[in-house]
Amino acid sequence: MRKAQAKKLPLAPDPKFNDKNVTRFVNCLMWGGNKTIVLGLFYDALDKVGTITSEAGYDVWKRALSNITPAVEVRSRRIGGATFQIPSEVRPDRKISLSMKWLIRFARDRNGKTMADKLAAEIVAAAKGEGGAFKKKEDTHRMAEANKAFSHFKI
């Protein structure tokens, strides 16, 4: 176990939008370790989002992330031999992390020719309040609501 909590490394903002969340998203999206390729892929996806919605792709992406950001989640806790799903609020840093991971995961599962197409389709769907990532958020909230009776067991 750690003696002290690990320090967060500062992120450099991306070159186009000067936003640290874009860098964070690209880092989650990256698989092979080549950041410039993934950054280009992300910018292509935002351009496609812009042509689909006739709005700025960056604004649609931010709206999509805010739409799929969870407020509550359930955590397992073992009490007296039984395991209970206890609803708890999500830390602000984890909210962003979960929404980005869900958006990327459901974009990868989509049908499409390139990753940019898949990502663009999932971003547009999430911005409208549809798609797999939005459904995941709704399911998480629904599960927390169903287990509200166990909230007095807070961790």
Side-chain angles (χ1 to χ4, degrees):
M1 203 159 157
R2 281 187 188 274
K3 291 182 181 177
Q5 193 165 3
K7 289 187 176 70
K8 284 273 186 190
L9 292 174
L11 283 175
D14 78 299
K16 192 171 184 181
F17 300 110
N18 203 28
D19 187 359
K20 291 183 180 182
N21 278 340
V22 172
T23 305
R24 196 168 165 180
F25 188 82
V26 167
N27 287 346
C28 285
L29 189 59
M30 190 167 42
W31 252 347
N34 200 330
K35 196 171 198 171
T36 52
I37 289 174
V38 179
L39 205 56
L41 181 147
F42 177 72
Y43 292 148
D44 286 346
L46 289 190
D47 290 341
K48 289 177 182 180
V49 166
T51 57
I52 293 169
T53 61
S54 67
E55 291 179 59
Y58 177 67
D59 296 332
V60 176
W61 174 75
K62 285 203 309 194
R63 187 167 3 114
L65 273 185
S66 66
N67 277 355
I68 61 173
T69 300
V72 289
E73 66 179 344
V74 290
R75 293 179 164 222
S76 297
R77 177 138 188 235
R78 193 168 168 83
I79 298 166
T83 305
F84 295 104
Q85 299 278 23
I86 300 167
S88 60
E89 283 193 32
V90 187
R91 293 187 328 269
D93 200 41
R94 184 168 161 76
K95 282 182 184 182
I96 298 165
S97 180
L98 282 174
S99 60
M100 287 181 181
K101 286 174 185 173
W102 290 345
L103 190 64
I104 291 165
R105 184 175 111 200
F106 287 102
R108 284 193 176 123
D109 291 345
R110 265 182 179 269
N111 290 332
K113 202 158 181 84
T114 64
M115 186 58 196
D117 291 337
K118 295 176 183 183
L119 189 59
E122 189 62 34
I123 288 170
V124 170
K128 287 181 186 172
E130 303 167 355
F134 187 77
K135 186 178 181 306
K136 175 75 173 171
K137 176 206 164 190
E138 293 294 312
D139 290 347
T140 304
H141 279 227
R142 204 173 300 118
M143 189 163 331
E145 184 67 29
N147 290 304
K148 199 169 30 169
F150 305 122
S151 61
H152 64 282
F153 288 131
K154 285 265 192 248
I155 297 172

